[in-house]
Amino acid sequence: MRKVLNIPKRWGLMIMLILGLSACYPDESLKVPEKDNDVTLTELDQYIEEHFTEEYDMAIRYRYVDRYVAPGERVTPPRLEVVRPMLDFIEKFWIDPYLEVTNGEGFFRGHVPPEIIFLGGFIYNPDGTVTLGSADAGSRITFTNVNAIDPEDLDWRELQLQTVYHEFAHTVHQRYKLPASFETITTAGYTSAGSWYNLTNDEALLRGFVSPYATSSPNEDFAETVAFYLFDPEFDAHFITLEADCGTAECEAQNTGKEFIAEKLAAINSHYKKVTGIDLTELRNVIQSKL
């Protein structure tokens, strides 16, 4: 299932994109994709077959097929010349980091979604809203706006990284549940269904969340915290480091929110080590070294 949103500016964009990413797994079953048997393999297709399909059992869909979007949605297919650079991008920032950390390769190969979709632009919906990215039942991740590929553009890069890190984090709680007591750390801060978008980033922080969307459920809180921790180079400054000598109630409340986030992150790190064997801090360090 996918949800939609209007495109905000920079930091808001990075936080709000999860509307398209997650509603996130209404159905835990996998939908194994069919191969495009009626398409003649090009040199690019052969590269994909060898380096992604045969290597990781991961199909890369870059030819537009209407089953990738809902009726009434409008999308732009990716230009052929951006497909290989996009493959290089996800390999560098998503696949390679897992292959480089202790126990990461086994985890990646055992949990990678079988289908990756590239769309040239955002998904435009009949109601005027825009879907920035999506995932379906753990079997597919859709990257949008690949025609604008520019790894040096902070907004573009963070959109793609948050898309994939958020969605891949869902596989952990799907397979191994949430960390013990994770849901109780900020119980009062979760929002009612469909109301999280009324919060600002600062209000979410005061509640102990890295983004407004993280308040929508413990599962999304988990995935958002993992994603922000991995891609945000200023994560500690934004969400962990306490303000010294607070002189206002708002400052003290912000410090309390950061303490909640630190508690969640500690629980997540411990959980990852226990159930996946991966040190999330090691993974973050590898990713940050590539940015």
Side-chain angles (χ1 to χ4, degrees), residues 1-283:
M1 178 178 177
R2 293 165 298 175
K3 291 189 179 180
V4 295
L5 66 162
N6 292 309
I7 300 179
K9 294 188 182 228
R10 192 187 182 284
W11 194 236
L13 178 141
M14 297 316 306
I15 294 168
M16 294 285 284
L17 72 88
I18 303 303
L19 267 172
L21 297 178
S22 305
C24 233
Y25 293 98
D27 177 2
E28 299 293 335
S29 63
L30 293 180
K31 303 170 188 172
V32 178
E34 298 178 359
K35 291 190 176 182
D36 297 326
N37 294 322
D38 58 340
V39 176
T40 301
L41 293 183
T42 64
E43 182 177 345
L44 175 60
D45 294 324
Q46 292 171 351
Y47 176 84
I48 290 172
E49 183 73 16
E50 178 181 351
H51 289 84
F52 294 89
T53 306
E54 293 179 0
E55 181 67 23
Y56 304 110
D57 199 23
M58 180 197 306
I60 306 294
R61 311 298 192 194
Y62 66 89
R63 295 181 178 89
Y64 172 71
V65 178
D66 59 8
R67 69 181 175 87
Y68 299 155
V69 297
E73 293 178 338
R74 295 180 292 109
V75 300
T76 301
R79 299 192 308 271
L80 188 61
E81 63 267 24
V82 306
V83 175
R84 178 62 188 271
M86 190 66 189
L87 292 172
D88 293 341
F89 178 85
I90 65 172
E91 190 168 30
K92 177 179 179 179
F93 292 108
W94 176 37
I95 300 175
D96 286 352
Y98 277 92
L99 303 186
E100 293 175 24
V101 300
T102 305
N103 299 315
E105 182 172 356
F107 176 80
F108 184 85
R109 291 182 182 276
H111 298 76
V112 64
E115 189 170 46
I116 302 297
I117 310 299
F118 291 164
L119 296 178
F122 299 119
I123 301 173
Y124 292 88
N125 307 290
D127 61 1
T129 58
V130 176
T131 300
L132 303 183
S134 70
D136 296 286
S139 65
R140 174 189 297 170
I141 295 177
T142 298
F143 291 91
T144 66
N145 204 31
V146 300
N147 283 346
I149 185 170
D150 182 0
E152 300 304 315
D153 183 296
L154 188 61
D155 288 347
W156 184 91
R157 185 176 72 192
E158 290 187 352
L159 168 63
Q160 309 304 332
L161 295 183
Q162 189 174 354
T163 296
V164 71
Y165 297 157
H166 177 106
E167 293 309 330
F168 205 45
H170 274 303
T171 64
V172 174
H173 73 74
Q174 282 185 300
R175 301 278 186 95
Y176 311 108
K177 301 182 180 180
L178 291 170
S181 303
F182 181 85
E183 299 176 57
T184 67
I185 296 174
T186 51
T187 304
Y190 291 108
T191 51
S192 57
S195 64
W196 65 267
Y197 47 78
N198 294 317
L199 294 180
T200 65
N201 299 337
D202 289 340
E203 288 170 339
L205 178 58
L206 293 177
R207 294 184 180 210
F209 298 84
V210 297
S211 73
Y213 190 67
T215 71
S216 63
S217 76
N219 289 348
E220 303 307 336
D221 189 12
F222 177 88
E224 279 284 81
T225 303
V226 171
F228 273 73
Y229 181 61
L230 293 179
F231 84 76
D232 183 0
E234 302 298 325
F235 184 89
D236 282 356
H238 290 150
F239 303 112
I240 301 294
T241 304
L242 303 182
E243 296 292 332
D245 303 319
C246 275
T248 66
E250 182 177 2
C251 178
E252 292 177 355
Q254 186 178 81
N255 277 351
T256 298
K258 289 182 175 182
E259 289 172 345
F260 284 139
I261 293 173
E263 185 177 355
K264 292 178 186 178
L265 182 60
I268 290 171
N269 275 327
S270 177
H271 191 59
Y272 259 77
K273 289 179 182 178
K274 179 181 179 180
V275 302
T276 73
I278 294 173
D279 183 332
L280 206 60
T281 299
E282 181 187 1
L283 180 62

